[in-house]
Amino acid sequence: MLTKGEVTSLSATTITLGLIGALISLVCWANFGRGVSRIARTVAQGQPAPGRFFPFFPRLWTMLKEFLAHTRMNKFRTVGWAHWLVMIGFLGGFPLFFEAYGQSINPEFHWPVIGNTFGWHLWDEILGIGTVVGIVTLIIIRQLNHPRVPSRLSRFSGSRFVPAYTIEAIVLVEGLGMVFVKAGKIATYHHSNPGSDFFTMQVAKLLPASPTMVAVFALIKLLSGSLFLFLVGNNVNWGVAWHRFAAFPNIFFKREADGGVALGPLKPMTSGGRALTMETADPDNDAFGAGKIEDFSWKALLDFTTCTECGRCQSQCPAWNTGKPLSPKILIMSLRDHAYEKAPYLLAGGRTDMGGEEVGLVDADGNELTAKLEAIPEAARAQAQRPLVGEANGNEGGAVIDTETLWSCTNCGACVEQCPVDIEHVDHIVDMRRYQVLIESDFPSELAGLFKNLENKGNPWGQSPSARTAWIDEMDIHIPVYGKDVDSFAGFEYLFWVGCAGAYEDRAKKTTKAVAELLDVAAVNFLVLGEGETCTGDSARRAGNEFLFQMLAQQNIEQVDELFATAPHQRK
């Protein structure tokens, strides 16, 4: 039993420590708020991204489903359930974190009304155990996959380990804090219930009865959480921490409102939120793709912010796994770091034209506003001078993304499919390619032949359009060709779109013939366009030549419209 003097002395000590902890925590909260503000202002520097807010409820449902069911995380099963435990512990532990403010001053403190109920004690018990089990599992997984030689086999190769270890340690301390604060109170005040305190009752047997001990445990819990706030507020590029907050809006604002990943057709090339076409594009005022970090949309900047450096994209990337320099993870990390390092320059109003000349911080006569420029940190001004794509040189003065890295992407979409927070890697890669092709005319020499063949011959190999129907001559069935055998779609059920590979490439022609035979056996009335077809242009579009794609697509649209105009009642 404590004497009255000991209780008074104890109260004074815990009150002093608790108040000091609370003051430290308030400073950390302010620093965290500064980090949130910096992220919001940086993301706002991006171009508009229309269509990302609605339909509201389907988007909200997608976000809740991916969050609660962990539908994307569970592709790696052990990681999935461990991460789910940590996530629930982090979010559900906020009330317990705030409870520590009171417990560090008064060890007996608990929330009014609910704080001494069976349900609250059980919730505390489950969160504490789940957080510790989950984070320890994730720590073990990170160590088992540590990028030791050969480093390319590790999905963590290129990830930064200091932030990861720091956040993992803080989460572990927070989880243990839930357990030990509760166990300390049981040991000191002997209030427990086997149904809600089944684990902490056992831990309590190892602890002495000490109100000071409870207050110290609560203070450690309070300060470790405050350290998290302080560190992430100072390091907005710590994706391993910030994805806990950014993932929710990033999932909500994903490209596909129906919840699908950003695969299939590419998004249009836009400038200022407006889709660009050959007729409406203005090269003097419109951004053709992304040549500078501010040319990306705000959703792209949110993507960069949300990357947690887990490396799932990297582990599935065929370019990375065949020794090429592209890692989707490192590419996104590089863009994120560049965006936040350049942000002070952008927030001050700095902008450059396509020639690299300053046009933002100038007066009416075009003279640079020296005072404003000098007020911008030197590091931010240096970042503003870096090209987005070029020769990286492995140093600060080189380009953000190396040219070879950009052109290593096959557009397979494995990175997009794997990303647990719905980052749209392929869209961002193609945007950078668009600028390189349309503005810089800087692309691999092999693509020059591809573009020329598509424009002049309508296929990637430069073969004659008349050879599109050569495969028909190799078959024993009659296949009508529009414009040659028939002049109308009347009487036909389907148009068989063959495509360039299906018409020219020997292996693909086998598939074309097999499909045609199946349609004939099924007595389906169909025809083909023959020379009326041209390439869909998708290969040009994915290589960055958006306007060549538009030209080819328009030719095909006009051809199909002409076909269906001959029998409008049959259009399907």
Side-chain angles (χ1 to χ4, degrees):
M1 292 287 293
L2 293 173
T3 67
K4 184 177 180 180
E6 290 173 329
V7 171
T8 303
S9 174
L10 177 62
S11 298
T13 302
T14 57
I15 288 172
T16 301
L17 291 175
L19 289 176
I20 292 173
L23 289 174
I24 293 173
S25 184
L26 289 175
V27 173
C28 294
W29 273 110
N31 200 60
F32 177 75
R34 190 168 63 90
V36 172
S37 174
R38 185 180 169 193
I39 288 175
R41 289 183 296 125
T42 301
V43 169
Q45 297 303 304
Q47 299 288 315
R52 299 285 184 158
F53 288 85
F54 300 100
F56 178 82
F57 289 107
R59 288 183 174 278
L60 180 63
W61 169 242
T62 296
M63 183 188 74
L64 292 174
K65 181 173 60 176
E66 291 193 19
F67 155 54
L68 292 173
H70 252 39
T71 53
R72 300 185 59 72
M73 285 295 301
N74 285 331
K75 291 181 178 181
F76 286 24
R77 294 190 182 279
T78 303
V79 176
W81 64 256
H83 187 275
W84 187 87
L85 289 176
V86 173
M87 177 196 70
I88 296 299
F90 179 78
L91 296 175
F94 266 105
L96 294 165
F97 170 75
F98 287 114
E99 193 176 39
Y101 282 92
Q103 291 167 336
S104 63
I105 296 173
N106 176 12
E108 292 188 86
F109 176 82
H110 56 73
W111 289 120
V113 183
I114 64 169
N116 208 24
T117 62
F118 176 88
W120 181 255
H121 278 239
L122 181 61
W123 178 241
D124 190 352
E125 191 86 356
I126 293 172
L127 285 184
I129 297 170
T131 301
V132 172
V133 170
I135 196 62
V136 168
T137 302
L138 293 179
I139 290 171
I140 292 171
I141 289 172
R142 186 178 293 274
Q143 292 309 306
L144 291 176
N145 290 276
H146 194 282
R148 301 177 180 89
V149 179
S151 62
R152 275 189 176 257
L153 297 180
S154 168
R155 62 186 177 93
F156 294 115
S157 178
S159 300
R160 291 181 297 182
F161 278 77
V162 170
Y165 289 155
T166 302
I167 298 304
E168 287 172 345
I170 290 173
V171 173
L172 178 59
V173 171
E174 284 294 294
L176 291 172
M178 296 182 203
V179 172
F180 279 97
V181 169
K182 188 178 180 186
K185 291 180 74 173
I186 293 173
T188 302
Y189 304 111
H190 309 293
H191 301 311
S192 62
N193 184 317
S196 60
D197 310 316
F198 50 88
F199 178 73
T200 47
M201 286 176 61
Q202 306 308 314
V203 177
K205 295 176 182 178
L206 306 176
L207 301 176
S210 171
T212 304
M213 176 189 64
V214 177
V216 169
F217 284 158
L219 183 63
I220 292 172
K221 180 180 171 184
L222 174 63
L223 291 179
S224 66
S226 299
L227 179 62
F228 172 88
L229 298 171
F230 180 80
L231 290 175
V232 301
N234 277 349
N235 298 278
V236 292
N237 60 352
W238 278 20
V240 70
W242 281 106
H243 83 279
R244 288 165 166 76
F245 311 100
F248 296 102
N250 206 57
I251 294 170
F252 181 88
F253 294 125
K254 66 195 295 186
R255 170 149 65 95
E256 303 302 324
D258 63 359
V261 295
L263 295 176
L266 290 172
K267 71 178 183 66
M269 183 171 69
T270 61
S271 179
R274 174 176 57 90
L276 298 181
T277 66
M278 292 182 289
E279 294 77 18
T280 63
D282 180 357
D284 294 327
N285 297 301
D286 289 324
F288 288 7
K292 302 183 288 293
I293 197 70
E294 61 267 30
D295 291 337
F296 286 105
S297 71
W298 62 261
K299 174 57 172 67
L301 296 178
L302 183 60
D303 268 1
F304 307 155
T305 304
T306 309
C307 178
T308 186
E309 304 179 24
C310 67
R312 288 187 176 202
C313 56
Q314 180 175 286
S315 71
Q316 304 302 310
C317 178
W320 177 261
N321 287 321
T322 52
K324 296 179 177 63
L326 171 65
S327 160
K329 176 189 68 180
I330 296 175
L331 180 141
I332 294 296
M333 289 169 59
S334 299
L335 292 171
R336 176 194 64 201
D337 293 346
H338 173 62
Y340 283 102
E341 289 169 10
K342 186 178 178 180
Y345 166 80
L346 298 175
L347 293 170
R351 292 293 186 276
T352 55
D353 60 17
M354 287 190 292
E357 296 295 322
E358 179 62 47
V359 295
L361 298 174
V362 297
D363 60 22
D365 297 323
N367 300 313
E368 289 188 348
L369 301 174
T370 307
K372 284 193 173 183
L373 279 168
E374 290 179 349
I376 299 170
E378 184 178 346
R381 281 181 279 148
Q383 288 295 322
Q385 299 301 315
R386 294 181 69 188
L388 192 65
V389 177
E391 189 174 351
N393 294 325
N395 58 54
E396 289 296 324
V400 179
I401 304 299
D402 189 77
T403 300
E404 188 179 355
T405 297
L406 180 68
W407 293 104
S408 294
C409 178
T410 66
N411 271 217
C412 70
C415 50
V416 180
E417 177 63 37
Q418 284 293 325
C419 183
V421 290
D422 287 301
I423 293 173
E424 298 159 3
H425 311 70
V426 172
D427 286 351
H428 310 323
I429 288 172
V430 171
D431 271 340
M432 289 187 283
R433 287 181 173 182
R434 284 165 170 164
Y435 183 87
Q436 294 302 302
V437 171
L438 299 174
I439 300 299
E440 298 290 340
S441 296
D442 181 14
F443 47 85
S445 58
E446 297 88 344
L447 289 178
L450 170 73
F451 295 154
K452 182 178 180 180
N453 289 335
L454 290 175
E455 186 172 0
N456 297 331
K457 299 294 185 178
N459 65 83
W461 302 281
Q463 297 194 39
S464 170
S466 62
R468 276 190 177 272
T469 56
W471 64 273
I472 297 177
D473 300 332
E474 302 169 9
M475 301 192 68
D476 297 329
I477 59 176
H478 175 64
I479 300 176
V481 179
Y482 177 70
K484 179 180 178 181
D485 301 313
V486 296
D487 296 319
S488 172
F489 190 56
F492 291 93
E493 296 177 85
Y494 293 97
L495 165 66
F496 178 21
W497 184 273
V498 178
C500 292
Y504 293 112
E505 208 276 323
D506 288 338
R507 290 173 300 176
K509 283 200 292 186
K510 295 178 182 179
T511 302
T512 301
K513 294 175 186 178
V515 171
E517 289 175 353
L518 289 172
L519 291 173
D520 182 67
V521 169
V524 174
N525 291 326
F526 71 97
L527 54 70
V528 297
L529 288 176
E531 294 183 40
E533 270 192 30
T534 191
C535 180
T536 62
D538 189 60
S539 54
R541 192 180 208 191
R542 293 182 181 277
N545 200 335
E546 179 71 12
F547 294 143
L548 177 55
F549 156 74
Q550 291 184 16
M551 182 187 76
L552 295 169
Q554 187 59 38
Q555 290 179 22
N556 283 317
I557 290 169
E558 291 173 357
Q559 180 65 66
V560 172
D561 284 345
E562 176 190 317
L563 171 69
F564 286 135
T566 62
H569 63 284
Q570 288 182 242
R571 185 166 187 158
K572 296 184 179 179

